[in-house]
């Protein structure tokens, strides 16, 4: 199935959705992101011109259904609500060259890891689009702009980011 999609649609990525009993996938086709129902092989959504250039990678939020991250050659990472994908929910412009990879942390979905051909790996804390902002459930409308700006911090290192857990539960930089 995936091989057929890769050859027919010239996909750069295929990502399986962990929600909906794993019956949905998303494909990156040039600058477009498409959603598919694997039971019927019908397209269920299309995000035309999701990026200004080639879409490189996709990742579904493991804890918040309908949320999809994409990245591409336009140096941007975009977050989409696939139920209403006319505009991205959030856009990151932290890289200076092609963004090759984007990944949600499976335990703490506010943590987003991106890798780029600018030789940087960036860990972003995206509380406003996580499943549990500020450690408890709140509506996105409840977040003020000031809280959002304060919480959305960026952690970067020129070559890589490596963290481990110390005994007290604090993250420890091991680079």
């Amino acid at each position: 199935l995936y091989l057929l999609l890769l050859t027919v649609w010239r996909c750069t990525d295929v990502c399986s959705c962990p929600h909906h009993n794993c019956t949905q996938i998303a494909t990156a086709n040039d600058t477009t992101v498409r959603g598919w129902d694997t039971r019927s092989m019908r397209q269920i959504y299309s995000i035309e011109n999701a990026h200004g250039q080639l879409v490189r990678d996709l990742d579904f939020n493991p804890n918040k259904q309908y949320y999809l991250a994409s990245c591409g050659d336009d140096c941007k990472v975009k977050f989409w609500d696939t139920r209403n994908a006319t505009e991205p929910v959030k856009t990151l412009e932290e890289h200076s060259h092609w963004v090759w990879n984007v990944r949600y942390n499976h335990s703490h979905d506010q943590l987003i890891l991106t890798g780029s051909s600018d030789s940087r790996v960036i860990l972003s804390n995206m509380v406003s689009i996580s499943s549990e902002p500020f450690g408890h459930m709140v509506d996105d409308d409840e977040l003020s702009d000031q809280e959002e700006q304060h919480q959305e911090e960026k952690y970067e290192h020129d070559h890589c980011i490596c963290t481990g857990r110390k005994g007290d539960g604090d993250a420890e930089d091991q680079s």
Side-chain angles (χ1 to χ4, degrees):
L1 171 67
Y2 293 139
L3 183 59
L4 176 66
L5 285 171
L6 287 170
T7 55
V8 172
W9 287 93
R10 291 186 275 192
C11 295
T12 52
D13 192 36
V14 176
C15 182
S16 178
C17 180
H19 310 287
H20 313 289
N21 295 322
C22 297
T23 58
Q24 294 181 6
I25 61 171
T27 60
N29 313 95
D30 194 28
T31 62
T32 301
V33 174
R34 290 183 170 89
W36 301 90
D37 183 328
T38 57
R39 296 166 296 184
S40 65
M41 283 313 299
R42 290 202 170 117
Q43 184 173 296
I44 52 178
Y45 60 85
S46 179
I47 307 171
E48 300 291 329
N49 299 310
H51 287 267
Q53 296 178 28
L54 185 69
V55 178
R56 293 272 178 185
D57 197 23
L58 303 169
D59 195 30
F60 281 99
N61 185 323
N63 304 319
K64 192 171 183 180
Q65 66 178 340
Y66 305 112
Y67 272 64
L68 173 71
S70 64
C71 64
D73 286 359
D74 59 359
C75 310
K76 297 177 183 176
V77 178
K78 295 184 179 183
F79 300 90
W80 305 93
D81 182 336
T82 59
R83 295 168 297 180
N84 182 17
T86 55
E87 293 290 325
V89 174
K90 190 84 175 162
T91 301
L92 290 179
E93 298 184 46
E94 303 296 337
H95 287 285
S96 60
H97 209 257
W98 304 335
V99 184
W100 289 78
N101 301 100
V102 60
R103 287 292 175 271
Y104 282 96
N105 180 297
H106 287 267
S107 300
H108 304 283
D109 62 356
Q110 74 271 19
L111 298 176
I112 310 296
L113 192 64
T114 57
S116 168
S117 54
D118 63 6
S119 300
R120 295 187 311 154
V121 172
I122 298 176
L123 178 63
S124 301
N125 187 9
M126 304 296 297
V127 176
S128 66
I129 60 170
S130 73
S131 59
E132 294 191 44
F134 308 116
H136 65 281
M137 294 300 286
V138 296
D139 291 333
D140 289 343
D141 296 338
E142 293 179 26
L143 299 176
S144 72
D145 289 342
Q146 186 178 16
E147 289 171 324
E148 188 173 312
Q149 288 174 355
H150 175 72
Q151 288 296 321
E152 298 202 0
E153 301 166 1
K154 169 183 71 135
Y155 304 95
E156 66 179 273
H157 190 279
D158 284 339
H159 298 290
C160 72
I161 296 174
C162 301
T163 60
R165 288 280 181 201
K166 296 191 300 187
D168 59 4
D170 291 334
E172 174 181 45
D173 184 18
Q174 297 178 357
S175 49

